[in-house]
Structure formats: C-alpha cells, structure tokens
Amino acid sequence: MNDRTEEVRANGFTDHVLVCTNDRDSEHASCADAHGRAVFEAVREWLRERGVFWSRVHVAETSCLGLCSADGTALAIHPRSRWYSDVTPGEVPDLIREEFGPEADRLGVGNPDSLD
Ligand code: FES
C-alpha cells in the first residue's frame, strides 16, 4: 500500500465528482439507461472548459450510488457531500455552476484542508 494523499493534495485536488454509469440486467432502473454516460461527458466538458478538469476536480464513473431512477443519472460531489439523482445532460451546466461557481471559483468547499 502506498498512501499518496499528500501528493494528490499537493497537485491541487479540491473536489471529486462521481457519476453513476451503472448498468444492470434487471427490471430495476439503472443510470446507464438514464443518460449516465452523457451526464459524465457533460460534467467533464464543463470542467475542461474552465481548466479545472483533473487539475483541481477529479471525475469518475462509479457503480450504483443508491439513488437509482429511470429519469436521470445519480451524481455525488465530495468532500462537500452533495448528492443528486434524476440528472439529465442538459441540467449539468446549471448543477455544476451552482456547486462550483460560474468559473469554477468555488472549489474545495467542505474540505477542511482548503479552508484557510
Ligand atoms: S444505478 Fe445509478 S444510482 Fe443506482
């Protein structure tokens, strides 16, 4: 095991966006069938346009977040501990702007190490 926490922090990490793209072969709803991949791409695009994709904000596809819906994707933002469901690709810009500020100038909220 290699603890790389300090390295990640030193590289400027502030926030982690987890987007569910879980697919399941059952009658129950899953985010893969509810725009999961498109929401994931929309999050990356918004962050990329502001120059913070992976430099400050990490984005990851994840399995089930426990907020399944047929109407949209589940998404979580940490360490601020924000949770959304039913997200559609068209809603991503407003959602991320609301969380991170119009120019991604409100990063690191909820991370005690970023609140100096
Ligand atoms: S399948 Fe996405 S939250 Fe459950």
Side-chain angles (χ1 to χ4, degrees):
M1 182 178 75
N2 188 10
D3 182 351
R4 300 179 68 176
T5 305
E6 290 309 318
E7 175 189 340
V8 171
R9 289 179 179 169
N11 287 342
F13 167 82
T14 60
D15 294 272
H16 211 161
V17 181
L18 306 176
V19 181
C20 177
T21 57
N22 185 48
D23 195 7
R24 63 165 68 95
D25 188 18
S26 88
E27 78 232 40
H28 301 292
S30 71
C31 292
D33 294 330
H35 319 291
R37 186 72 201 181
V39 166
F40 176 70
E41 293 298 339
V43 170
R44 294 203 307 183
E45 182 181 335
W46 194 95
L47 296 168
R48 217 181 255 125
E49 287 170 356
R50 286 153 184 85
V52 296
F53 176 61
W54 275 101
S55 56
R56 309 285 307 280
V57 182
H58 297 196
V59 183
E61 292 184 70
T62 184
S63 189
C64 184
L65 292 170
L67 301 172
C68 321
S69 166
D71 298 325
T73 301
L75 182 158
I77 306 175
H78 296 302
R80 61 184 69 193
S81 191
R82 298 284 293 166
W83 299 80
Y84 294 92
S85 71
D86 303 277
V87 179
T88 62
E91 293 174 320
V92 166
D94 283 348
L95 185 161
I96 301 296
R97 185 183 309 112
E98 196 61 35
E99 288 288 342
F100 292 152
E103 295 308 318
D105 48 1
R106 205 166 53 235
L107 301 176
V109 174
N111 181 348
D113 294 327
S114 298
L115 299 176
D116 335 337

